Amino acid sequence: MSASDYSSAQLQQVHASVTGFFQDIGSELLAYGPEHATLALTLLPRHLNNASNMHGGVMATLMDVAMGLCGTWEADPADRRVAMTLSMNINFSAVAAAGSRIRAQARCRSSGHKVFMASCDLLDEQDRLIAFGEGVFKRGSLRRELRPR
């Protein structure tokens, strides 16, 4: 963890503010700092497709959230903006089964005032690449300005 990463309490604050679907799948925010974010998920049967492997939609969700977060870090979590996905490209490279611990490691590649680009690797416990992708995102409203859920 670098000196500018969030503390455990700040990570919890951000984790609680991320979209309901992120909460529904049961993922967790492991690290968050300027230009990077790491999420993790232990795969349960509900995260699998008909072939008993990690569902592509679950992969896309983890990567989308990680990339969106990596470009919205602020020193005070209350000042964090939300990100809107403008485009996203994902390449699936391996399968993962129930019980696997998956992490999405995203980093901001380029950033302007309103738009930023990010890349993300989806890895298993052995650091095997499950998927990789990139996206373009627009910074939106301050999180605190949005309607409470």
Side-chain angles (χ1 to χ4, degrees):
M1 181 165 104
S2 72
S4 56
D5 283 358
Y6 283 155
S7 68
S8 294
Q10 290 170 312
L11 280 175
Q12 283 300 110
Q13 181 182 352
V14 172
H15 182 273
S17 75
V18 179
T19 66
F21 188 56
F22 169 80
Q23 302 290 335
D24 288 346
I25 65 171
S27 58
E28 60 184 294
L29 180 59
L30 296 182
Y32 187 30
E35 301 187 350
H36 73 91
T38 302
L39 308 177
L41 175 68
T42 300
L43 296 182
L44 301 173
R46 67 186 171 127
H47 300 124
L48 306 180
N49 60 21
N50 287 331
S52 297
N53 295 311
M54 186 177 185
H55 192 283
V58 175
M59 291 184 198
T61 297
L62 286 175
M63 295 172 75
D64 185 40
V65 173
M67 288 189 287
L69 282 171
C70 77
T72 60
W73 187 91
E74 292 292 338
D76 180 349
D79 291 336
R80 185 176 69 82
R81 293 190 176 275
V82 297
M84 295 169 280
T85 308
L86 299 177
S87 70
M88 190 168 72
N89 180 39
I90 297 174
N91 300 286
F92 303 103
S93 56
V95 297
S100 299
R101 178 80 169 162
I102 305 299
R103 72 184 183 285
Q105 295 181 317
R107 67 183 178 106
C108 191
R109 306 281 306 219
S110 177
S111 184
H113 179 68
K114 292 187 179 186
V115 175
F116 64 94
M117 291 169 269
S119 63
C120 186
D121 288 342
L122 201 64
L123 306 162
D124 67 8
E125 309 97 328
Q126 290 81 36
D127 288 333
R128 186 172 55 117
L129 188 64
I130 304 300
F132 58 98
E134 59 191 8
V136 179
F137 300 83
K138 180 180 179 185
R139 288 181 189 90
S141 302
L142 290 171
R143 178 75 236 171
R144 67 172 175 250
E145 295 174 347
L146 301 178
R147 285 184 291 149
R149 295 184 182 156

